[in-house]
Amino acid sequence: MTTDVLVSRELKSLQDELASAKNNRIAVVEQSAAASPPPASATDASTPDEAELQGYLRQLADEVTELFGEAEKSISAHPTQSVAGALVLGILIGRLLGRR
């Protein structure tokens, strides 16, 4: 029974931290969008190679943002499994690195 209370408190703490981090990230994005000038279009690049590279970087940034959003949804939907999975993964990595 005591373990359930401790786990519930820890999960609540983690949820609060995630919510706080999400709010901070949103605030930073909004501030940077308001403070920075609009991004230059691909036609403003000096060479076609630079324009292509900028396109790849934008695509990568979009995909990473989408990946983090999906991970956040998954963790929010299954917090206990996520914490347990992270613990097991940490133990495995620790054992693998500790053998060298």
Side-chain angles (χ1 to χ4, degrees):
M1 186 69 167
T2 306
T3 307
D4 291 339
V5 172
L6 292 174
V7 170
S8 295
R9 286 182 187 162
E10 184 64 24
L11 288 175
K12 179 62 177 157
S13 172
L14 290 172
Q15 288 174 340
D16 292 342
E17 285 182 42
L18 283 173
S20 175
K22 181 179 178 182
N23 291 338
N24 289 342
R25 187 177 63 225
I26 290 171
V28 167
V29 169
E30 288 174 352
Q31 287 176 350
S32 66
S36 66
S41 66
T43 58
D44 291 342
S46 351
T47 65
D49 290 337
E50 288 178 4
E52 184 178 359
L53 180 60
Q54 287 177 354
Y56 286 136
L57 290 176
R58 280 191 203 104
Q59 183 180 5
L60 176 65
D62 292 342
E63 289 178 12
V64 168
T65 302
E66 183 179 331
L67 176 71
F68 282 132
E70 290 174 9
E72 187 174 337
K73 288 177 187 174
S74 175
I75 291 169
S76 295
H78 309 288
T80 305
Q81 293 90 340
S82 299
V83 171
L87 177 67
V88 169
L89 183 62
I91 290 170
L92 288 174
I93 291 172
R95 289 198 176 244
L96 289 173
L97 293 177
R99 293 184 182 183
R100 292 186 179 179

